Amino acid sequence: MDSIRVTGGNRLNGAIPISGAKNAALPLMIASILTPETLTLENVPRLTDVQKLAQILNNHGIDITIAGKRAGQGEGYSRTMHISAAEIVDTTAPYELVSQMRASFWVLGPLLARCGKAKVSLPGGCAIGTRPVDLHLMGLEALGAEIELDAGYVIARAPGGLKGGNITFPMVSVGATHNVLMAAAGAKGTTVIENAAREPEIGDVARCLVAMGAEIEGIDTGTLVVHGSGALHGATHAVLPDRIETGTYAMAVAMTGGDVLLENTRMDLLQAAFDVLVEAGVTVTQTNEGVRIARNGAGIRPVHVSTAPYPAFPTDLQAQLMALMTKADGVSTITETIFENRFMHVQELARLGADIRLNGETATITGVKTLKGAPVMATDLRASVSLIIAALAAEGETTVSRVYHLDRGFERIEEKLGRCGAQIERISA
Ligand code: UD1
């Protein structure tokens, strides 16, 4: 198993290209199920989660080809993907595949819309809490699906096809919104989704569905009105920039000090996180090429942050912010309200010398002068990158093992950080 070795102490200076968003690329790939015509996605990141989903879609009979680099791109970050679901040969998504990637559960809605039936394993995914799927099922039932659970599988049928319906989610769920939005786009009639998640990746999928022929009102708001016609067509769509990757590198620069341009990304995608960084003493500027992050001289000021659904501070940046606050001049608090059990990085950060106390869903972080390198272990996708951030500012050498978690969501992180001056290398086992 690969590991990553970081020797801390270098400031980051230069430019980092931001890839297409993983959390948009995955549902966009799944949206291809809704049409027999080709869906072309540009700016798809090179990630193991994307490869895995491609395998899962292959299993349904979907053909995927990947073209070379995007015009104007040097070393081939992100790619163009042509996806053709001309014929769905299998409507079952087996446990062996779905358990490897939670988002693959989202094939349920589109398969039902296209084929009138689907059998999809209950998911696995990152070990960050129980993560049920009740809201997905509730939403699909509102569109007329008949659902039963049997031996770890969701068995769903819609004999006459899915029909428009009204759904008010009792809590905000990104995945349930994606699943029901895609199903509604492939259903006949009008669906109203209230309390929909407003994450930019949902807006991105909605825009792609519009390009595929769906009529959707309220994009980027909490109420989506979808006029499905039952027949979507092919389209070409570029995946929006990855706001979590953007925020992660912004925190890395905040941690080490320096000046880095995050290319091809936008500040408005993660305003809440940038507001926190500014409060912490970091300079953030939108330029024509991307977002510039700088911290020179001044220390890191402590902050008090709570995660919540978009547009608030994202849970997917919670671990990275905590890593940053381990070196703040004072005491910070971070409260995690989305997932229980999303504090697995705390123990590993402590191995580097961080002072963090946990009380229920709140972590209290007392900044320390010095972090010291140590062997640590990645436990989930976002936790693993928080260890890299801490390691960049730690004295000496840190080895992060189990980096397959990182490869799920960060495109060639060692290369991107290395070109800005970090001492970081992958050690292949
Ligand atoms: C997505 C993101 C993940 C991010 C999360 C929250 C992708 C591929 N993943 O995950 O990176 O951390 O949004 O922003 O885009 N819940 C239920 N019942 C359900 C569904 C969810 O109770 O049927 C709960 C979950 O346990 C959790 C909360 O709702 O506590 C939010 O989960 P959700 O927004 O659905 O997260 P995911 O879509 O799994």
Side-chain angles (χ1 to χ4, degrees):
M1 240 180 269
D2 287 3
S3 54
I4 283 187
R5 184 161 57 208
V6 179
T7 308
N10 289 8
R11 293 162 73 81
L12 294 175
N13 284 295
I16 297 179
I18 296 301
S19 298
K22 169 180 89 78
N23 285 357
L26 300 178
L28 285 166
M29 288 168 71
I30 290 173
S32 68
I33 293 174
L34 292 166
T35 175
E37 295 179 17
T38 300
L39 177 64
T40 297
L41 297 177
E42 297 169 344
N43 202 29
V44 177
R46 293 170 190 250
L47 299 169
T48 55
D49 265 11
V50 166
Q51 278 166 16
K52 246 181 218 149
L53 181 60
Q55 276 167 18
I56 291 167
L57 295 177
N58 286 153
N59 200 55
H60 295 297
I62 298 169
D63 282 330
I64 300 184
T65 57
I66 293 168
K69 302 171 189 172
R70 278 171 72 207
Q73 276 199 330
E75 226 352 87
Y77 291 106
S78 300
R79 306 172 284 187
T80 297
M81 193 177 252
H82 303 281
I83 313 175
S84 167
E87 199 190 340
I88 304 288
V89 298
D90 191 343
T91 54
T92 299
Y95 174 71
E96 308 79 76
L97 298 178
V98 181
S99 61
Q100 292 179 36
M101 205 215 341
R102 187 182 158 83
S104 61
F105 182 76
W106 306 348
V107 298
L108 181 63
L111 279 177
L112 255 180
R114 171 95 182 260
C115 308
K117 61 175 186 167
K119 180 177 172 188
V120 179
S121 168
L122 289 163
C126 262
I128 52 170
T130 49
R131 302 182 97 177
V133 292
D134 51 324
L135 302 174
H136 298 242
L137 304 187
M138 180 184 157
L140 295 173
E141 278 173 342
L143 303 190
E146 295 159 12
I147 292 176
E148 55 180 298
L149 296 181
D150 185 40
Y153 278 82
V154 174
I155 300 168
R157 287 184 201 86
L162 288 179
K163 297 190 177 60
N166 292 346
I167 166 86
T168 301
F169 284 121
M171 65 186 278
V172 175
S173 161
V174 171
T177 304
H178 276 309
N179 215 338
V180 176
L181 170 64
M182 290 190 283
K188 288 208 177 89
T190 298
T191 296
V192 181
I193 308 173
E194 300 272 14
N195 203 21
R198 286 179 284 162
E199 268 66 4
E201 294 75 22
I202 288 169
D204 204 40
V205 169
R207 287 185 181 87
C208 179
L209 293 171
V210 168
M212 292 167 74
E215 209 186 312
I216 304 175
E217 296 163 53
I219 294 178
D220 294 327
T221 75
T223 303
L224 293 168
V225 181
V226 186
H227 306 284
S229 64
L232 296 184
H233 53 71
T236 297
H237 177 85
V239 181
L240 92 169
D242 195 316
R243 68 194 161 94
I244 303 303
E245 192 194 26
T246 303
T248 299
Y249 288 122
M251 302 230 186
V253 179
M255 184 65 154
T256 61
D259 192 334
V260 171
L261 176 68
L262 304 176
E263 296 170 329
N264 316 318
T265 190
R266 302 194 329 249
M267 240 175 112
D268 64 295
L269 294 173
L270 70 167
Q271 194 58 53
F274 285 133
D275 288 347
V276 169
L277 282 179
V278 168
E279 202 185 323
V282 179
T283 307
V284 182
T285 329
Q286 177 77 56
T287 74
N288 286 341
E289 292 83 33
V291 181
R292 197 175 144 201
I293 309 290
R295 184 173 72 78
N296 289 304
I300 302 162
R301 287 198 291 268
V303 294
H304 302 281
V305 171
S306 204
T307 64
Y310 193 86
F313 190 92
T315 172
D316 284 351
L317 285 173
Q318 180 256 105
Q320 296 90 316
L321 179 67
M322 195 176 303
L324 176 62
M325 288 303 133
T326 61
K327 286 208 71 188
D329 301 324
V331 179
S332 307
T333 54
I334 302 181
T335 301
E336 170 59 55
T337 71
I338 308 281
F339 293 112
E340 77 268 32
N341 196 23
R342 201 176 201 182
F343 281 130
M344 274 143 354
H345 43 286
V346 169
Q347 277 185 355
E348 299 300 303
L349 288 170
R351 290 176 53 77
L352 300 174
D355 179 350
I356 306 171
R357 271 184 306 114
L358 274 183
N359 185 4
E361 47 186 37
T362 299
T364 303
I365 308 112
T366 305
V368 294
K369 283 269 165 302
T370 317
L371 296 174
K372 286 220 170 85
V376 289
M377 195 176 280
T379 51
D380 72 49
L381 173 53
R382 311 304 178 187
S384 53
V385 84
S386 77
L387 300 174
I388 304 270
I389 292 175
L392 288 171
E395 280 181 0
E397 202 174 281
T398 298
T399 314
V400 183
S401 54
R402 297 199 180 168
V403 294
Y404 55 85
H405 287 296
L406 269 182
D407 295 332
R408 285 187 41 216
F410 291 92
E411 185 170 7
R412 284 184 273 173
I413 186 167
E414 67 279 17
E415 200 177 297
K416 291 192 182 187
L417 286 171
R419 54 191 267 178
C420 290
Q423 267 195 66
I424 177 166
E425 61 181 325
R426 180 176 294 254
I427 306 160
S428 298

